[in-house]
Amino acid sequence: MTVETTSIDTLVVGAGQAGVAMSEHLSKLGVPHLVLERARIAERWRTGRWDSLVANGPAWHDRFPNLEFADFDPDAFASKEQVADYFVAYAKKFEAPIRTGVDVKKVVRNAGRQGFTIETSEGTIEANRVVVATGPFQRPVIPPIAPQDPKLTQIHSADYRNPNQLPEGGVLVVGAGSSGVQIADELQRAGKRVYLSVGAHDRPPRAYRGRDFCWWLGVLGEWDAEVMKPGREHVTIAVSGSRGGHTVDFRRLANQGITLVGLTKSFDGGVVTFEADLAANIARGDENYLSLLDAADAYAERNGLELPEEPEARVIPADPECVTHPLHDLDLAKAGVTSIVWATGYAVDFSWLNVNAFDETGKPKHQRGVSKEPGIYFLGLPWLSRRGSAFIWGVWHDAKHIADHIVTQRKYLAYYDDEQREAHGRRENSVASVENTSADSRVHKVSEMGVN
Ligand SMILES: Cc1cc2nc3c(=O)[nH]c(=O)nc-3n(C[C@H](O)[C@H](O)[C@H](O)COP(=O)(O)OP(=O)(O)OC[C@H]3O[C@@H](n4cnc5c(N)ncnc54)[C@H](O)[C@@H]3O)c2cc1C
């Protein structure tokens, strides 16, 4: 193959933040590895997000421990391009052995011998271990209720870029997590008539008593929660770093001109029907918001923190008309709605992974990323080890755990009894040095790192 080697100890698939973090820990521990990325480093931050997206957390928080954002206010929110540049700079810092433009197409466990055979767009490679770092949000999901109507423009939030992309007319945004609320806000500010379909959500305050919610979730141990609370599987989190960062407040969005509607139930003959759950969803979002203020106050008091009090944060304005008298249905043509943006989340796609690492429902079966198929690891998935696992800071810590596990496994496999030790010593002495003829500096790096 044109990739520099035909075998490697550990292959990492994907060079988003997860792949870069994995490579840093493996490099530090001296584990020979190669990262294969089908596009560019942090490609999803560059081309898989809308133009105006900024990080949801401030720069001091949404980063890895060993590098700060250059020339950037730590309390500000980096743009998606700055986030992507950050990961490129990070990878360069330790000369991560990343090979871009290589698509991993299939991974199969070897029969009767160790390791895996991996088919890529550049040929075949073998590895003792494979770390799957292909992202928590791979395949945009549009629910089956989406109407088959050629008159409507329908896109997923993954394909939304900016308001100019949509035709004249109103927009229904389905889903009010961080993506949905920010896209709805942007479309309304661009002069569009917007309907926002709001389901169950959490909406932490952007900041409270002078501290960002990322800080509060950290000190309160919320980022480290190991399991999702029961019944919270479909609860999105609505936060925004846009325009300097602000608390997502659905009443403010309504007062601004967005029509809030309940969960989108069905489409029939050009009419969309909504669940009668809008007021309850807004009320539960308020509960979540207020419970974080309560927890923050209790923490501040218990620890004697002198943070400025902020009683005004508890003032919840009256419900707007669209919440008190919600729409139950909407004739899209009559309302002038010409497009739908589905901000309805993502699924993973592991169809290329032909290994025994999944449960009966097809979900990866693992403990903190160490799968039940020895040698296969998952990184970057939501709730891999904790709530923070799919986020920038969290994936770095999960990668460390996986790297430690790999080192331990390598130690077991390096065990020799006396006879083997003697034979191994004889073999080592007769190994000829491998001449490296490639012009690519990363090729040298990988070979130096002990390609076997
Ligand atoms: C709209 C949005 C905003 C977000 N904002 C934030 C935020 O502000 N802060 C935060 O901490 N998190 C945020 N996240 C969550 C998370 O940080 C991102 O989703 C991040 O991109 C995940 O990084 P990753 O490396 O795990 O996966 P990805 O970034 O998805 O990277 C996976 C890489 O694998 C490559 N790949 C996939 N399959 C293959 C294959 N078969 N062969 C080779 N390469 C392959 C892809 O090209 C990709 O580059 C956001 C997510 C979304 C969707």
Side-chain angles (χ1 to χ4, degrees), residues 323-334:
V323 176
T324 51
H325 297 89
L327 285 177
H328 292 141
D329 51 52
L330 183 71
D331 185 317
L332 294 172
K334 276 192 192 149

Side-chain angles (χ1 to χ4, degrees), residues 115-153:
F116 303 89
T117 297
I118 300 107
E119 283 175 27
T120 81
S121 54
E122 301 285 312
T124 303
I125 186 170
E126 297 226 348
N128 293 331
R129 280 158 272 277
V130 176
V131 181
V132 180
T134 49
F137 308 120
Q138 297 172 26
R139 202 165 44 76
V141 171
I142 293 183
I145 55 164
Q148 304 291 323
D149 184 346
K151 292 195 292 303
L152 280 173
T153 298

Side-chain angles (χ1 to χ4, degrees), residues 60-80:
W60 67 262
H61 183 265
D62 277 15
R63 66 171 175 86
F64 288 167
N66 297 322
L67 183 69
E68 293 182 9
F69 278 82
D71 304 322
F72 199 76
D73 173 1
D75 286 319
F77 301 87
S79 72
K80 70 180 185 70

